[in-house]
Amino acid sequence: MNHHRKPQGGNLSNLKEFVILGFSDVPYLQWFLFGLLIVMYSFILLGNGTIVLITRLDSALQSPMYFFLGNFSFLEICYVSITLPRMVFNLGTQRRTISFIACAAQMCCTLILGAAECFLLAVMAYDRYVVICKPLHYPLVMNQRVCSQLVIGSWISGIPAQIGQTSQIFSLSFCGANQINHFFCDLPPVLHLACGDIFVNEMMVFLGALIFGVVPFLLIVFSYSKIISTVLKLSSATSQAKAFSTCSSHLAVVMLFFGSGMVTYFRSNTNHYGGTDKVLSLFYAVVTPMFNPIIYSLRNKDVKIALRKFFYRQFAKI
């Protein structure tokens, strides 16, 4: 990371608002993007909301795997609701300003929920590891109490650190333009506007990415290395295919979320934050929540059956 010292001239430490540039570089697509984002947000709410419902109501989905999936889908709804409505509002009104406090709150919430998503994906990988590698111990290891503790731990894991990191970023002085070259108040583009020597802040961002990104990802890699090793020892090709099919949906979501998120946070620095970073951020902020219900409904037989039963009951009431 480059910790270039920005000039102190034009100090805006008493900054009252930022301007989120968003899609301003494509003015001819504003209304198309407005409609597209509304459709995407509606799909995210409907798709993930349906998964939350069926994992709660369907008796066939009352296992730890689906308990975690329901929580993950609810987390996706919360995560995307912090950013997408504001993006739609900005496009519809062409008012791109956001207050200093609102920007800090948006950043803090996205960081907390992003950390929760990383750890919950690691918990889901651990669940698959136990069920495949230690099936006889599964009911004992993944009991209701342990599952609840793992979910609660994932939700609250990033709260102290991310509140501290957000407070640290917004206690800096800002100089020059107050325009955020992004779709929402994400950490790298806001830090890009800060004055002075921000080496410590950059190191904190790097450390946060290691703890809340790399560590969960390594836990996932470790879990799947054990899973692959165990599955390859199975004598039946049918058993191998069944074991791998239970993991494929989760792996697809992991690749989408971690791939885009870690590249964005590890390549960001104060001298460069551009179009590539903005596109990558859309993957972990919008695309992953949108594809989560599609991936799980298409790749999981139990979810497909539960969805058919759910929609059949709904249409039968009409």
Side-chain angles (χ1 to χ4, degrees):
M1 286 188 177
N2 188 323
H3 53 282
H4 172 68
R5 180 181 291 273
K6 293 187 179 180
Q8 296 291 344
N11 193 305
L12 294 176
S13 57
N14 295 320
L15 195 67
K16 300 298 182 187
E17 62 182 21
F18 288 106
V19 176
I20 299 178
L21 295 180
F23 300 97
S24 59
D25 54 337
V26 283
Y28 48 90
L29 291 177
Q30 299 295 295
W31 289 108
F32 169 77
L33 292 169
F34 176 76
L36 178 64
L37 289 181
I38 288 178
V39 171
M40 292 172 74
Y41 186 51
S42 301
F43 183 84
I44 289 167
L45 293 180
L46 178 63
N48 286 286
T50 302
I51 287 183
V52 172
L53 277 176
I54 63 172
T55 54
R56 294 282 295 176
L57 301 176
D58 197 292
S59 57
L61 301 182
Q62 302 307 303
S63 67
M65 175 182 176
Y66 298 111
F67 174 69
F68 295 135
L69 175 58
N71 273 275
F72 183 74
S73 294
F74 179 66
L75 176 58
E76 293 281 53
I77 291 172
C78 296
Y79 186 73
V80 80
S81 295
I82 296 168
T83 56
L84 249 183
R86 183 85 197 196
M87 291 162 63
V88 171
F89 174 80
N90 290 351
L91 281 167
T93 63
Q94 293 300 301
R95 290 175 54 192
R96 298 190 176 90
T97 58
I98 183 171
S99 71
F100 192 81
I101 298 299
C103 187
Q106 187 183 63
M107 178 190 291
C108 187
C109 290
T110 54
L111 290 176
I112 288 171
L113 293 180
E117 188 159 343
C118 290
F119 281 114
L120 192 51
L121 285 169
V123 166
M124 294 168 77
Y126 175 69
D127 173 67
R128 295 298 83 204
Y129 158 74
V130 177
V131 78
I132 292 172
C133 301
K134 304 192 182 287
L136 297 178
H137 298 94
Y138 186 70
L140 180 65
V141 174
M142 301 302 290
N143 59 59
Q144 188 174 358
R145 181 168 170 269
V146 169
C147 291
S148 298
Q149 289 174 340
L150 288 171
V151 166
I152 293 170
S154 298
W155 276 89
I156 68 174
S157 59
I159 292 177
Q162 303 300 7
I163 289 177
Q165 177 140 271
T166 304
S167 301
Q168 186 185 50
I169 296 297
F170 281 86
S171 65
L172 295 170
S173 295
F174 293 89
C175 50
N178 65 339
Q179 297 179 333
I180 300 174
N181 186 24
H182 203 37
F183 308 111
F184 58 96
C185 290
D186 204 3
L187 199 158
V190 173
L191 186 59
H192 176 76
L193 302 178
C195 296
D197 188 351
I198 57 172
F199 175 70
V200 172
N201 303 94
E202 289 188 301
M203 288 301 101
M204 292 302 294
V205 173
F206 186 78
L207 182 61
L210 281 176
I211 295 172
F212 298 108
V214 175
V215 170
F217 183 72
L218 290 177
L219 291 173
I220 293 169
V221 170
F222 176 78
S223 296
Y224 275 105
S225 66
K226 292 291 186 180
I227 289 170
I228 292 170
S229 176
T230 300
V231 170
L232 292 178
K233 292 175 184 176
L234 297 175
S235 56
S236 168
T238 304
S239 299
Q240 290 182 348
K242 185 178 179 181
F244 279 126
S245 69
T246 64
C247 303
S248 57
S249 302
H250 179 253
L251 271 174
V253 174
V254 166
M255 291 300 107
L256 266 176
F257 183 76
F258 278 96
S260 56
M262 287 201 293
V263 169
T264 299
Y265 275 76
F266 280 113
R267 76 188 290 268
S268 65
N269 59 65
T270 56
N271 283 334
H272 172 75
Y273 195 90
T276 303
D277 306 86
K278 290 169 69 175
V279 171
L280 285 170
S281 72
L282 283 178
F283 274 87
Y284 63 79
V286 179
V287 175
T288 300
M290 185 177 70
F291 277 100
N292 176 53
I294 298 174
I295 291 169
Y296 276 101
S297 61
L298 292 179
R299 300 289 301 169
N300 190 297
K301 186 173 71 174
D302 293 335
V303 172
K304 284 192 284 188
I305 293 171
L307 282 171
R308 280 197 293 267
K309 286 163 57 179
F310 175 77
F311 286 118
Y312 176 77
R313 285 196 297 268
Q314 301 311 307
F315 286 120
K317 294 177 184 177
I318 300 175

